[in-house]
Amino acid sequence: MSRLECPAEPAQLPALLALVTDLCQRERIDDATCHDLQLIVEEACVNVMHHAYPAGQAGPLALEARVVQDGVSRRIVLTLEDQGRPFDPMSVAPPDTTAAAESRAPGGLGVHLIRQLSHRQRYQRHPRLGNVFTIEKDLVPPAPHRPLENRLQITLTPHDTIAVLAITGSIDSLNADELAQRFAQAMDQGHVRLVADFSLVNYTSSAGLRSLLGAVKSCRLAGGDLRVAAVQPQVNRVLEIAGFTSILNIFPDVRQAVDSFKEAA
């Protein structure tokens, strides 16, 4: 079992995610499942950080992760505890993942992702522990694990009237604003036809999805578009769960995404 108690502050997110990564390495949990667990933990912890306590105050947050063996089957059990205002995450209404980009408000996808990427969830208001949110995910047999690369790198390369943003690493709550700023900077430079190269993006949380949605809406309002290329399977799964595959123009590679603008001209 692994447990971390810390203030509910965004600066603690790397340590909380590291707890999950270390557990995955010890238990030889496969890469796809570890990816899901990191996303679940980020979404659940960020909800506490942003909503549990009054603005400007950071109360306690505890994360516990353990593997439970039932015969030949295994599952990981994540438990979050906080002393904030009573709140049942499972009371959040599911988002409309079929809505068009223009009618979508940013945010609201975190609990949806938790529901879709885990197998069981339960909430209780404990008289001493406060909010207790338990999330369970069944595990597949052990496999070699490679930790995710968390550093975000973004490079913009103009192609005539089209600009390609090559993105490397993980997009999470700590760096998604950087991605949004780079999209905005590209538009300020006159690039409203953008291609986001996701070939080296190995992770995105709902914060990354908000950045994508904002960029898509801004580009289309300016008469252009944001197109996404070469999405890795684990990231594409998140886009599918959030309903983003129906609002984004996604292409197998950068060349096809760039050429699609020329064909539409």
Side-chain angles (χ1 to χ4, degrees), residues 4 19 71 78 90 94 110-111 125 150 164 166 196 209 239 245-246 250 261-263:
L4 175 62
L19 180 145
L78 303 168
M90 294 299 98
V111 174
R125 180 69 182 186
N150 288 319
V164 176
L209 299 183
L239 296 179
T245 52
S246 64
I250 302 175
F261 279 116
K262 298 175 181 178
E263 293 168 0

Side-chain angles (χ1 to χ4, degrees), residues 26-227:
R26 289 199 309 271
E27 298 291 337
R28 297 184 60 218
I29 294 171
D30 66 283
D31 288 348
T33 301
C34 186
H35 173 276
D36 291 352
L37 292 170
Q38 288 189 315
L39 183 50
I40 290 167
V41 166
E42 178 177 343
E43 300 298 345
C45 290
V46 168
N47 276 344
V48 174
M49 294 169 182
H50 288 173
H51 305 298
Y53 298 103
Q57 298 182 21
L61 167 64
L63 171 65
E64 181 179 290
R66 58 192 174 96
V67 173
V68 176
Q69 185 94 30
D70 290 326
V72 296
S73 64
R74 297 194 310 160
R75 69 183 186 277
I76 190 163
V77 180
L78 303 168
T79 304
L80 283 89
E81 303 166 4
D82 71 79
Q83 297 289 334
R85 58 176 64 91
F87 177 68
D88 180 0
M90 294 299 98
S91 66
V92 175
D96 181 3
T97 56
T98 65
E102 292 73 17
S103 62
R104 289 199 184 199
L109 289 169
V111 174
H112 176 66
L113 291 173
I114 292 171
R115 284 188 175 114
Q116 296 300 312
L117 295 175
S118 61
H119 293 98
R120 290 165 294 278
Q121 315 89 28
R122 60 183 181 274
Y123 165 83
Q124 71 170 129
R125 180 69 182 186
H126 192 277
R128 179 174 58 86
L129 301 176
N131 294 310
V132 180
F133 186 26
T134 303
I135 306 162
E136 297 186 3
K137 184 172 180 64
D138 297 333
L139 298 176
V140 298
H145 169 71
R146 298 184 302 275
L148 294 178
E149 171 61 49
N150 288 319
R151 185 184 176 197
L152 184 67
Q153 301 178 54
I154 306 169
T155 303
L156 186 144
T157 304
H159 289 255
D160 296 326
T161 60
I162 303 159
V164 176
L165 281 90
I167 306 163
T168 301
S170 300
I171 308 170
D172 56 33
S173 298
L174 297 180
N175 60 29
D177 286 346
E178 179 184 350
L179 178 60
Q181 291 168 5
R182 294 300 296 273
F183 282 137
Q185 289 171 0
M187 293 191 65
D188 289 343
Q189 295 169 11
H191 302 298
V192 297
R193 299 197 294 175
L194 298 175
V195 173
D197 178 1
F198 264 48
S199 59
L200 296 178
V201 175
N202 52 26
Y203 174 95
T204 185
S205 67
S206 63
L209 299 183
R210 287 196 296 272
S211 296
L212 280 175
L213 179 61
V216 167
K217 294 168 76 170
S218 296
C219 285
R220 290 177 183 173
L221 281 172
D225 196 11
L226 168 66
R227 301 185 178 176

Side-chain angles (χ1 to χ4, degrees), residues 250-265:
I250 302 175
F251 294 83
D253 55 50
V254 171
R255 175 48 53 194
Q256 292 185 55
V258 171
D259 289 345
S260 71
F261 279 116
K262 298 175 181 178
E263 293 168 0

Side-chain angles (χ1 to χ4, degrees), residues 225-243:
D225 196 11
L226 168 66
R227 301 185 178 176
V228 182
V231 181
Q232 294 191 31
Q234 68 270 25
V235 175
N236 193 66
R237 181 167 173 243
V238 175
L239 296 179
E240 289 177 342
I241 290 171

